[in-house]
Amino acid sequence: IKGGKRVKFAGYDVVGTIRIPKTKIKYPILTPLTNNSLAKGVAMLESTSGVNEPGNTTILGHNYRNNMFFSKNDKLKIGDKIYIKDLTGREVEYEIYEGKMRQTTDGSYIRRDTNGETEISLSTCNDDSSLRYVLLARKVSEK
């Protein structure tokens, strides 16, 4: 809700925008997460207390192997920056501290204790969809 109004994109509620300079992407973060919302952008799977708030927010995006959405997340490394702007206009800078392949059955990154830190988890599939590439990042600053 921005200024008391909901922000919509392709029929979905927008909870913020994600920008990753290294991979040159910027997309709305949509909710709810559905096959169709993932075809339109990236989508929030779950959030402890809301975008850019303490706890973990998990965002999923397709790997279409064509530079769209999270297709280039495997190029991101520890120390790279991710920016999320919420609907209040506050932009938080996150720094990646872990990136690894996980089994498709491993959902431990979704509901995790961040010890009160503001963190995000980004997940996408690898090129043959047999694994998930998951990035964990924590807030380092905001404007």
Side-chain angles (χ1 to χ4, degrees):
I1 300 176
K2 188 170 188 173
K5 293 183 179 180
R6 288 187 181 274
V7 176
K8 295 275 198 185
F9 177 83
Y12 293 89
D13 287 328
V14 174
V15 296
T17 58
I18 185 168
R19 180 171 61 86
I20 307 176
K22 186 173 181 178
T23 57
K24 297 179 175 65
I25 68 151
K26 182 178 179 182
Y27 291 106
I29 304 166
L30 307 176
T31 189
L33 173 74
T34 66
N35 286 337
N36 194 41
S37 65
L38 282 174
K40 307 285 184 197
V42 300
M44 184 174 71
L45 172 63
E46 193 167 298
S47 185
T48 305
S49 57
V51 174
N52 291 341
E53 296 298 330
N56 182 53
T57 297
T58 301
I59 301 166
L60 306 185
H62 274 307
N63 171 7
Y64 284 137
R65 296 170 293 287
N66 65 357
N67 301 332
M68 286 181 63
F69 307 128
F70 288 171
S71 294
K72 288 189 157 192
N73 275 17
D74 63 341
K75 305 291 185 242
L76 298 170
K77 304 293 180 223
I78 292 172
D80 287 340
K81 308 294 191 210
I82 299 166
Y83 299 87
I84 296 191
K85 186 178 281 192
D86 59 38
L87 295 184
T88 69
R90 175 179 55 155
E91 185 174 66
V92 172
E93 177 186 61
Y94 294 85
E95 184 175 287
I96 297 170
Y97 68 86
E98 180 181 296
K100 68 180 187 181
M101 290 291 179
R102 296 175 182 248
Q103 296 297 319
T104 58
T105 55
D106 177 1
S108 62
Y109 63 92
I110 299 167
R111 292 186 180 153
R112 57 190 176 88
D113 184 0
T114 65
N115 294 316
E117 297 288 324
T118 302
E119 297 194 8
I120 56 174
S121 302
L122 305 185
S123 178
T124 193
C125 58
N126 65 337
D127 285 350
D128 69 4
S129 299
S130 63
L131 296 169
R132 300 285 176 265
Y133 187 61
V134 177
L135 295 165
L136 306 182
R138 70 175 50 97
K139 174 182 172 177
V140 291
S141 68
E142 72 176 70
K143 25 178 180 166

